[in-house]
Each structure stands twice: as structure tokens, then as C-alpha cells.
Amino acid sequence: MIQRMRIGPGEKPRIAARDPRDDLGLRDKARAHARLEELKARIEVLQQRLYAEARHSVLLVLQGLDASGKDGVVRSVFAGVNPQGCRVASFKAPTSTELAHDYLWRVHAVLPARGEIGIFNRSHYEDVVAVRMLELAPERVWRRRPGHIVAWERMLADEGTSIVKVFLNVSKDEQRRRLQERVDDPEKRWKFRRDDLAVRARFDEYLAAYEDVIEQTSSEHAPWHVVPADRNWVKATAVAGLLVDALERVDPKLPEPESGIEGLRIE
Amino acid sequence: MIQRMRIGPGEKPRIAARDPRDDLGLRDKARAHARLEELKARIEVLQQRLYAEARHSVLLVLQGLDASGKDGVVRSVFAGVNPQGCRVASFKAPTSTELAHDYLWRVHAVLPARGEIGIFNRSHYEDVVAVRMLELAPERVWRRRPGHIVAWERMLADEGTSIVKVFLNVSKDEQRRRLQERVDDPEKRWKFRRDDLAVRARFDEYLAAYEDVIEQTSSEHAPWHVVPADRNWVKATAVAGLLVDALERVDPKLPEPESGIEGLRIE
């Protein structure tokens, strides 16, 4: 399952050629849900050990176009995991204080500590893709950023952070359906902004911008994965599987107790 | 249920006279679990609105002696709640950078943002109680802190943070049983430290120090609650109930959508 999603270093992701409805061999919703529950139970156990050991951290980076389901993945995969030791950071348009620093400053500040799982709902990749698409900086500025990012992620990996990067690949048609649902549902309507339509109108250009940055920044130490995102049950199970894979590579161990504790009677 | 736990402004908490096995009228474990599930479903809905509205925040402060079950409460009440918009902060012994600032500095930095629920596993109250018990600062220093804290929490409440403070009241006998379990269980043994015994030996003194600080800092805008903590099902359900009560007082509303969105067709 994981190999089908992983983009090797220097490999062209060919996002547009990938099927957003691919079921990754999960076959049906019931099977996928059963698998998701197993994976979540495994995350729970591994997260406790990660937290207890407090030597490594895991960072999950979630990117995707509007309505690709980033919020939904956070909820499906992490609701049920102990929130102690789990840290979600969402990145919106930078504040004036954040803009007064380099683009990695605000991101660096909220990285998971040793023992924690960090989830980035959007990330420093917006500082390449959104900046490019909205012309927030000249081309020479965003062109050099993938190079910085590869080096910075290398440092993080060397210092004990396992990085898993996910691009949620939603189709243009499924995006239309989900945006329409937001408009039609009074409970969801507040989430919809007219600006979303301007972004949607450039769907293919956004995809091409992701194509570039994913190719430039997928590395052995911080690989990208293109996850088919038209079906929620595929997406959630796939991301949970990637997280379990990362945690198993870390293989955290419970720390040794103080010596001579065994057999102690508490008065 | 809530009135039985709440300490009014200026009221003596009389912790030692309270029964750590009180069931708060929940009667049995099955009933309490059913009630907990209802409360968690309610938290989920209210948290989504809190997050969407992004005007108010809720801060839950958890204090209690060793093995009173602070970690367990975080897990029981918040696993299942969307971690996006939920932020747990655990306070350990301050680092040298933290000690280079006033004691509220590190606490202030990790308060929940508008729209978030923050959970403090230990808090600035350690800077009164632990500092007093371990003689980390002279008496005149910790004696004046409750006054600062009341004023600081007043400011937070005025600016939109609902504060709920919980003291988990475990009995000395139940603490013994839980510490013994840590020693006996190879999976939990790493959590046990010999230092825990030195703290346990002064159980009544710690309780008296909490008695003082709770009396001095329970206020209308940031009330303390003494939660019976010998039975996990009582404790979790009680804390979930306090949180729902706080969220219902905030009464967050979904924001208005942009005008003219209704009926829009997405192309």
C-alpha cells in the first residue's frame, strides 16, 4: 500500500496521472474501517512508547487543495489517540510578526518535541506553492525555497524527527461535490468563501505547482506520499498506515526503571 | 453534581473532610460510562462550534497529588475529541530558560488560543505548592503568588478564556495501591521514582498546602472544584461534566456565512 503512494527522491510524482479514486487494495469501506481501527490501536501503543522514551518525534505534514479533506484526516486518524503527546498545528496566512521573520521561523517554533507526534495541517509548503500561485513574492524567492526545505528537513531528521509528508490528491469533480455540500449545508456554509472559487478555477495550475515542489523535496529522510483522496475511508486508512510505518521504524522502547524498584513494597 | 465539587470564592475547601470515594450520585460504573459517552459527544459538538466561532477559549487546569490520575483524565475525557483545537500542556520542572523569567511566563506562552480548549496537566499552581513544599523559594515569594494568580486569571477571563480548575482528590490508601501497581507492572515500572515516596511521606502536608491555595484562588471567574479521584469512572465523568458546563456557558455559535452564498452552484 505504502509503496504505491511513495515518491522516491528525484522521482516525478505524476499527480495528474494518479487515480484519486484508487482504493489501494482496501477494496471496500467496511474492510478499510476495520483496518483503520487496527492501525489506530497500533498508533496508540506506539505513541505511548514514543512519549515514554522521549527520544524521537514524528511529524506528519498534510497538504492538499481545498476540500481534499485535511481536517477530516486529522479527526479520523487522531481522535481516539491520547491528545497528550499529540500536537496539531494549522497554518493560516502569516501574521505581521510572522512575516517579520523568515518563512521557517513560525514552523520551527511549533515542531513536535521529543516524544511527541506533530501534525501540520498545511505547512511551510504553502510558502512555496501559495506564494507562487498568488505571486506573494518574486519567482527567485520561491524558487530557492525547496533547497532550503530539503536541508532543513535533513537537519530535523538527523536530530531525531521522522518526517512523513502527505499530499491529499482530490479530483476536480470531487472537489466540486464537496464545495457544493458546504454551500448547501447550513451547518457547513460558514466554511465557504467566494475566494475558494478563484483557487478552484486554477485547479490544474495548483496541481502543477505541487508537482514541482514534491519532485524537488521528496527525499529519503522526508519522503512525500500522494494519497488518493476522493474516498474518505481510503484516505484515513492510508494516512494511518503511513504513520504506523513511521512509528515502527522509530521503534520506541519503554525506558528502564530506576534500578532496584522491582519487588518494592509501598507503605 | 457540579455544586458538590465547586469551591465558592473565599470558601474553605475542607479537602481532608471530603470523601475521595464519593460517587457524586453516579451510582455505578456502567451508568457513569454511559453518562461519560453522552458528555463526550456533547464536548465534540461544542468544541467544533468553539473552534468555528474562534472568540472564546476554555482552559482546564488539572492538579492533584501523585497517582491522582491526571494523565488518565486527559486520556479518558479527550481521546475521541478532535485534537485540532485541543491543546495539552504538561508542566515539568522548569528549564533554565524558564527560570530566567517570572513563573507565569512559560504558562502564558501555551495558553489556548481563541477557539481552542487547553488542558494543563499541572500548572502555575505548582509554583505555589511545589515551591512551598520543596522550599524552592522563600515563604514571602510563594505567599504573594496566589494574589498574582487571581489577578492574572481575572484578566484572562475578561479577555475571553473560561477557566475551570480541578483538584483530583485521591486518598492516601488509593495512592498506595496505585504506586504499588506501578512497581509491580513491568510496563509501568519506568514511571516510578524513589522520589515519589518522599512526596508520599508528606501526603497530609501537601493536602494542607492545596487547602490554602485553593481557598485563596477560587473565584467566580476561575472556580476550583475538588473532584473525588479514587474511582476512575467518577473522576472522568465529573471532569467531562465540568467541561460541558463551561462550554455551555460560553455557548459558542457557528459564524455567519458570507452573504449570498446560499443557493450558489459550484461549477
Side-chain angles (χ1 to χ4, degrees):
Chain A
M1 181 166 96
I2 290 171
Q3 279 317 312
R4 233 148 110 179
M5 299 185 281
R6 181 158 290 172
I7 310 302
E11 189 185 327
K12 289 210 180 298
R14 300 164 50 85
I15 304 173
R18 287 168 183 261
D19 181 7
R21 289 186 63 79
D22 185 358
D23 74 356
L24 299 170
L26 290 164
R27 292 162 63 190
D28 62 48
K29 200 167 169 172
R31 259 178 247 256
H33 274 302
R35 180 81 187 118
L36 178 59
E37 288 312 309
E38 284 169 24
L39 290 165
K40 284 173 71 171
R42 190 87 190 110
I43 291 171
E44 176 96 50
V45 169
L46 290 164
Q47 187 221 4
Q48 275 179 49
R49 290 197 203 142
L50 188 82
Y51 188 76
E53 189 185 57
R55 288 186 53 206
H56 300 275
S57 57
V58 173
L59 174 65
L60 174 67
V61 173
L62 291 173
Q63 288 287 156
L65 301 187
D66 282 347
S68 58
K70 298 180 289 295
D71 292 345
V73 162
V74 174
R75 177 178 314 232
S76 309
V77 177
F78 293 97
V81 175
N82 190 352
Q84 189 151 292
C86 209
R87 176 203 275 261
V88 184
S90 302
F91 296 95
K92 302 201 168 72
T95 63
S96 55
T97 306
E98 288 167 350
L99 283 173
H101 295 264
D102 69 88
Y103 66 101
L104 291 176
W105 179 79
R106 66 172 182 163
V107 184
H108 211 143
V110 295
L111 282 171
R114 297 182 204 285
E116 290 183 337
I117 298 176
I119 302 117
F120 279 3
N121 186 341
R122 302 186 188 269
S123 68
H124 44 297
Y125 287 96
E126 297 290 339
D127 297 296
V128 183
V129 174
V131 165
R132 170 178 178 172
M133 297 304 290
L134 303 173
E135 298 181 41
L136 301 175
E139 178 164 351
R140 65 184 162 74
V141 170
W142 56 258
R143 277 283 177 214
R144 61 199 178 196
R145 290 186 173 176
H148 311 153
I149 290 174
V150 168
W152 181 70
E153 290 178 347
R154 162 100 259 164
M155 180 278 291
L156 296 178
D158 285 348
E159 294 291 319
T161 301
S162 284
I163 305 172
V164 180
K165 298 183 293 197
V166 165
F167 178 75
L168 295 174
N169 186 26
V170 72
S171 67
K172 194 168 178 190
D173 197 52
E174 178 63 19
Q175 186 192 57
R176 187 196 52 71
R177 213 189 53 72
R178 292 183 190 167
L179 291 177
Q180 188 66 62
E181 196 182 304
R182 282 189 197 166
V183 167
D184 294 345
D185 182 344
E187 291 278 303
K188 294 185 181 171
R189 198 170 293 145
W190 64 274
K191 292 186 188 176
F192 185 86
R193 283 160 214 284
R194 278 172 202 283
D195 290 353
D196 297 347
L197 294 178
V199 174
R200 174 167 166 78
R202 302 174 69 196
F203 190 98
D204 296 334
E205 288 176 74
Y206 271 89
L207 224 52
Y210 273 108
E211 180 79 17
D212 282 355
V213 77
I214 290 173
E215 183 184 348
Q216 291 157 14
T217 59
S218 210
S219 59
E220 281 301 339
H221 57 274
W224 273 103
H225 306 79
V226 177
V227 171
D230 273 14
R231 296 196 275 195
N232 288 328
W233 47 274
V234 175
K235 181 172 58 186
T237 309
V239 172
L242 289 169
L243 191 64
V244 167
D245 179 65
L247 284 163
E248 285 180 342
R249 283 160 195 261
V250 170
D251 192 21
K253 305 272 193 297
L254 293 179
E256 286 295 311
E258 286 182 19
S259 67
I261 298 291
E262 201 177 336
L264 188 75
R265 298 318 302 170
I266 311 285
E267 305 299 330
Chain B
M1 180 167 99
I2 290 171
Q3 279 317 312
R4 231 147 112 178
M5 300 185 281
R6 182 159 290 173
I7 310 302
E11 189 185 330
K12 288 208 180 300
R14 301 166 48 83
I15 303 173
R18 288 169 183 262
D19 181 7
R21 288 185 64 78
D22 185 358
D23 74 356
L24 299 171
L26 290 164
R27 293 164 63 192
D28 62 47
K29 200 167 170 172
R31 259 179 248 257
H33 273 303
R35 180 80 187 118
L36 178 58
E37 288 313 308
E38 284 169 24
L39 289 165
K40 284 172 71 170
R42 190 86 190 111
I43 291 170
E44 176 95 49
V45 169
L46 289 163
Q47 187 221 5
Q48 274 178 48
R49 290 198 202 141
L50 187 83
Y51 188 76
E53 189 186 56
R55 289 186 55 206
H56 300 275
S57 56
V58 173
L59 173 65
L60 175 66
V61 172
L62 291 172
Q63 288 287 158
L65 302 186
D66 281 350
S68 58
K70 298 180 289 295
D71 292 345
V73 162
V74 174
R75 179 179 313 236
S76 308
V77 177
F78 294 97
V81 174
N82 190 351
Q84 189 151 291
C86 208
R87 175 203 275 263
V88 184
S90 302
F91 296 95
K92 303 201 168 72
T95 64
S96 55
T97 306
E98 288 168 350
L99 283 172
H101 295 265
D102 70 88
Y103 66 100
L104 292 176
W105 180 78
R106 67 171 181 162
V107 183
H108 211 143
V110 295
L111 283 170
R114 297 182 204 285
E116 290 183 336
I117 298 176
I119 302 116
F120 279 2
N121 186 340
R122 304 186 189 269
S123 68
H124 44 297
Y125 287 96
E126 297 290 339
D127 297 296
V128 183
V129 175
V131 165
R132 170 179 177 171
M133 297 304 290
L134 303 173
E135 297 180 41
L136 301 174
E139 180 166 349
R140 64 180 165 74
V141 169
W142 56 259
R143 277 283 177 215
R144 61 198 178 198
R145 290 186 175 176
H148 311 153
I149 290 174
V150 168
W152 182 69
E153 289 178 347
R154 161 99 258 164
M155 179 278 290
L156 296 177
D158 285 348
E159 294 291 318
T161 302
S162 284
I163 305 172
V164 180
K165 298 183 292 196
V166 166
F167 177 75
L168 296 173
N169 186 26
V170 72
S171 68
K172 195 168 177 190
D173 197 52
E174 179 63 19
Q175 187 192 56
R176 188 195 52 71
R177 211 189 54 72
R178 291 183 190 168
L179 292 177
Q180 188 66 63
E181 196 181 305
R182 282 191 197 164
V183 166
D184 294 346
D185 183 344
E187 289 279 304
K188 293 185 181 171
R189 197 170 294 146
W190 64 273
K191 292 186 189 177
F192 186 86
R193 283 161 214 285
R194 278 175 202 281
D195 291 353
D196 297 347
L197 294 178
V199 173
R200 175 168 166 77
R202 302 175 69 196
F203 191 98
D204 296 334
E205 288 176 73
Y206 270 89
L207 223 53
Y210 272 109
E211 179 79 18
D212 283 354
V213 78
I214 289 173
E215 183 184 348
Q216 290 156 16
T217 60
S218 209
S219 59
E220 281 300 340
H221 56 273
W224 274 103
H225 305 79
V226 177
V227 172
D230 273 14
R231 296 197 274 195
N232 288 329
W233 48 274
V234 174
K235 181 171 59 187
T237 309
V239 172
L242 289 169
L243 191 65
V244 167
D245 178 65
L247 284 163
E248 285 180 342
R249 284 160 195 261
V250 170
D251 192 22
K253 305 271 193 297
L254 293 179
E256 286 295 310
E258 286 181 20
S259 67
I261 297 292
E262 201 178 335
L264 188 75
R265 299 319 301 171
I266 311 285
E267 303 301 328

